[in-house]
PDB file of all heavy atoms in Angstrom:
ATOM      1  N   ALA D  29      -9.007   6.479  -8.302  1.00 97.00           N
ATOM      2  CA  ALA D  29      -8.876   7.039  -6.927  1.00 97.00           C
ATOM      3  C   ALA D  29     -10.188   6.946  -6.124  1.00 97.00           C
ATOM      4  O   ALA D  29     -10.111   6.652  -4.979  1.00 97.00           O
ATOM      5  CB  ALA D  29      -8.521   8.574  -7.094  1.00 97.00           C
ATOM      6  N   GLU D  30     -11.316   7.063  -6.776  1.00 97.00           N
ATOM      7  CA  GLU D  30     -12.568   6.933  -5.944  1.00 97.00           C
ATOM      8  C   GLU D  30     -12.713   5.582  -5.354  1.00 97.00           C
ATOM      9  O   GLU D  30     -13.100   5.462  -4.235  1.00 97.00           O
ATOM     10  CB  GLU D  30     -13.778   7.209  -6.942  1.00 97.00           C
ATOM     11  CG  GLU D  30     -15.148   7.221  -6.290  1.00 97.00           C
ATOM     12  CD  GLU D  30     -16.225   7.601  -7.211  1.00 97.00           C
ATOM     13  OE1 GLU D  30     -16.073   8.508  -8.024  1.00 97.00           O
ATOM     14  OE2 GLU D  30     -17.323   7.006  -7.163  1.00 97.00           O
ATOM     15  N   ASP D  48       8.204  13.778   0.563  1.00 90.00           N
ATOM     16  CA  ASP D  48       7.054  14.532   0.758  1.00 90.00           C
ATOM     17  C   ASP D  48       5.637  13.712   0.772  1.00 90.00           C
ATOM     18  O   ASP D  48       4.596  14.273   0.884  1.00 90.00           O
ATOM     19  CB  ASP D  48       6.747  15.579  -0.285  1.00 90.00           C
ATOM     20  CG  ASP D  48       6.655  14.973  -1.786  1.00 90.00           C
ATOM     21  OD1 ASP D  48       7.015  13.821  -1.929  1.00 90.00           O
ATOM     22  OD2 ASP D  48       6.070  15.633  -2.608  1.00 90.00           O
ATOM     23  N   ASP D  53      -4.670  12.406   6.411  1.00 94.00           N
ATOM     24  CA  ASP D  53      -6.091  12.161   6.304  1.00 94.00           C
ATOM     25  C   ASP D  53      -6.422  11.751   4.768  1.00 94.00           C
ATOM     26  O   ASP D  53      -5.477  11.778   3.949  1.00 94.00           O
ATOM     27  CB  ASP D  53      -6.868  13.354   6.659  1.00 94.00           C
ATOM     28  CG  ASP D  53      -6.563  14.657   5.870  1.00 94.00           C
ATOM     29  OD1 ASP D  53      -6.303  14.551   4.661  1.00 94.00           O
ATOM     30  OD2 ASP D  53      -6.496  15.768   6.502  1.00 94.00           O
ATOM     31  N   TYR D  57      -4.527  12.117   0.994  1.00 96.00           N
ATOM     32  CA  TYR D  57      -4.357  10.938   0.187  1.00 96.00           C
ATOM     33  C   TYR D  57      -4.885  11.077  -1.230  1.00 96.00           C
ATOM     34  O   TYR D  57      -4.295  10.588  -2.214  1.00 96.00           O
ATOM     35  CB  TYR D  57      -4.900   9.686   0.952  1.00 96.00           C
ATOM     36  CG  TYR D  57      -4.462   8.398   0.251  1.00 96.00           C
ATOM     37  CD1 TYR D  57      -3.160   8.014   0.095  1.00 96.00           C
ATOM     38  CD2 TYR D  57      -5.347   7.402  -0.066  1.00 96.00           C
ATOM     39  CE1 TYR D  57      -2.723   6.886  -0.491  1.00 96.00           C
ATOM     40  CE2 TYR D  57      -5.061   6.162  -0.627  1.00 96.00           C
ATOM     41  CZ  TYR D  57      -3.608   5.964  -0.815  1.00 96.00           C
ATOM     42  OH  TYR D  57      -3.304   4.745  -1.412  1.00 96.00           O
ATOM     43  N   ALA D  58      -6.081  11.645  -1.275  1.00 96.00           N
ATOM     44  CA  ALA D  58      -6.774  11.835  -2.604  1.00 96.00           C
ATOM     45  C   ALA D  58      -5.835  12.639  -3.496  1.00 96.00           C
ATOM     46  O   ALA D  58      -5.629  12.356  -4.636  1.00 96.00           O
ATOM     47  CB  ALA D  58      -8.153  12.426  -2.457  1.00 96.00           C
ATOM     48  N   CYS D  68       1.693   8.998 -14.805  1.00 92.00           N
ATOM     49  CA  CYS D  68       2.073   7.794 -15.587  1.00 92.00           C
ATOM     50  C   CYS D  68       0.921   7.510 -16.550  1.00 92.00           C
ATOM     51  O   CYS D  68      -0.181   7.976 -16.441  1.00 92.00           O
ATOM     52  CB  CYS D  68       2.276   6.630 -14.678  1.00 92.00           C
ATOM     53  SG  CYS D  68       0.908   6.181 -13.589  1.00 92.00           S
ATOM     54  N   GLU D  74       1.314  -4.771  -7.286  1.00 97.00           N
ATOM     55  CA  GLU D  74       1.180  -6.224  -7.064  1.00 97.00           C
ATOM     56  C   GLU D  74       1.753  -6.536  -5.802  1.00 97.00           C
ATOM     57  O   GLU D  74       2.777  -5.947  -5.350  1.00 97.00           O
ATOM     58  CB  GLU D  74       1.967  -7.044  -8.115  1.00 97.00           C
ATOM     59  CG  GLU D  74       1.383  -6.862  -9.471  1.00 97.00           C
ATOM     60  CD  GLU D  74       2.197  -7.510 -10.614  1.00 97.00           C
ATOM     61  OE1 GLU D  74       3.450  -7.071 -10.716  1.00 97.00           O
ATOM     62  OE2 GLU D  74       1.741  -8.338 -11.289  1.00 97.00           O
ATOM     63  N   ASP D  85     -11.307  -6.902  15.596  1.00 97.00           N
ATOM     64  CA  ASP D  85     -11.679  -6.183  14.456  1.00 97.00           C
ATOM     65  C   ASP D  85     -10.426  -5.370  13.794  1.00 97.00           C
ATOM     66  O   ASP D  85     -10.730  -4.503  13.016  1.00 97.00           O
ATOM     67  CB  ASP D  85     -12.693  -5.192  14.762  1.00 97.00           C
ATOM     68  CG  ASP D  85     -14.084  -5.844  15.072  1.00 97.00           C
ATOM     69  OD1 ASP D  85     -14.275  -6.980  14.628  1.00 97.00           O
ATOM     70  OD2 ASP D  85     -14.860  -5.196  15.737  1.00 97.00           O
ATOM     71  N   CYS D  93       5.874  -5.600  -2.079  1.00 97.00           N
ATOM     72  CA  CYS D  93       4.990  -4.789  -2.967  1.00 97.00           C
ATOM     73  C   CYS D  93       5.825  -4.256  -4.233  1.00 97.00           C
ATOM     74  O   CYS D  93       6.874  -3.700  -3.989  1.00 97.00           O
ATOM     75  CB  CYS D  93       4.338  -3.685  -2.270  1.00 97.00           C
ATOM     76  SG  CYS D  93       3.245  -2.564  -3.287  1.00 97.00           S
ATOM     77  N   THR D  94       5.361  -4.471  -5.404  1.00 97.00           N
ATOM     78  CA  THR D  94       5.961  -4.021  -6.636  1.00 97.00           C
ATOM     79  C   THR D  94       4.875  -3.024  -7.290  1.00 97.00           C
ATOM     80  O   THR D  94       3.864  -3.367  -7.559  1.00 97.00           O
ATOM     81  CB  THR D  94       6.367  -5.078  -7.544  1.00 97.00           C
ATOM     82  OG1 THR D  94       7.248  -5.969  -6.939  1.00 97.00           O
ATOM     83  CG2 THR D  94       6.970  -4.543  -8.796  1.00 97.00           C
ATOM     84  N   ILE D  95       5.394  -1.791  -7.425  1.00 95.00           N
ATOM     85  CA  ILE D  95       4.526  -0.761  -8.186  1.00 95.00           C
ATOM     86  C   ILE D  95       5.311  -0.487  -9.402  1.00 95.00           C
ATOM     87  O   ILE D  95       6.540  -0.105  -9.353  1.00 95.00           O
ATOM     88  CB  ILE D  95       4.399   0.413  -7.367  1.00 95.00           C
ATOM     89  CG1 ILE D  95       3.579   0.181  -6.038  1.00 95.00           C
ATOM     90  CG2 ILE D  95       3.649   1.516  -8.042  1.00 95.00           C
ATOM     91  CD1 ILE D  95       3.465   1.303  -4.987  1.00 95.00           C
ATOM     92  N   CYS D 123      -9.056  -0.092   4.967  1.00 98.00           N
ATOM     93  CA  CYS D 123      -7.606   0.150   5.243  1.00 98.00           C
ATOM     94  C   CYS D 123      -7.555   1.472   6.001  1.00 98.00           C
ATOM     95  O   CYS D 123      -8.191   2.486   5.647  1.00 98.00           O
ATOM     96  CB  CYS D 123      -6.734   0.325   3.930  1.00 98.00           C
ATOM     97  SG  CYS D 123      -5.156   0.492   4.057  1.00 98.00           S
ATOM     98  N   GLU D 136      24.343  -2.608   2.328  1.00 71.00           N
ATOM     99  CA  GLU D 136      24.770  -3.958   1.960  1.00 71.00           C
ATOM    100  C   GLU D 136      23.941  -4.990   2.593  1.00 71.00           C
ATOM    101  O   GLU D 136      23.693  -4.733   3.848  1.00 71.00           O
ATOM    102  CB  GLU D 136      26.290  -4.179   2.071  1.00 71.00           C
ATOM    103  CG  GLU D 136      27.166  -3.230   1.356  1.00 71.00           C
ATOM    104  CD  GLU D 136      27.054  -3.498  -0.250  1.00 71.00           C
ATOM    105  OE1 GLU D 136      26.840  -4.665  -0.678  1.00 71.00           O
ATOM    106  OE2 GLU D 136      27.105  -2.509  -0.937  1.00 71.00           O
TER     107      GLU D 136
END
Side-chain angles (χ1 to χ4, degrees):
E30 186 176 318
D48 64 336
D53 60 38
Y57 191 52
C68 60
E74 299 172 301
D85 292 335
C93 181
T94 302
I95 299 174
C123 189
E136 296 293 327

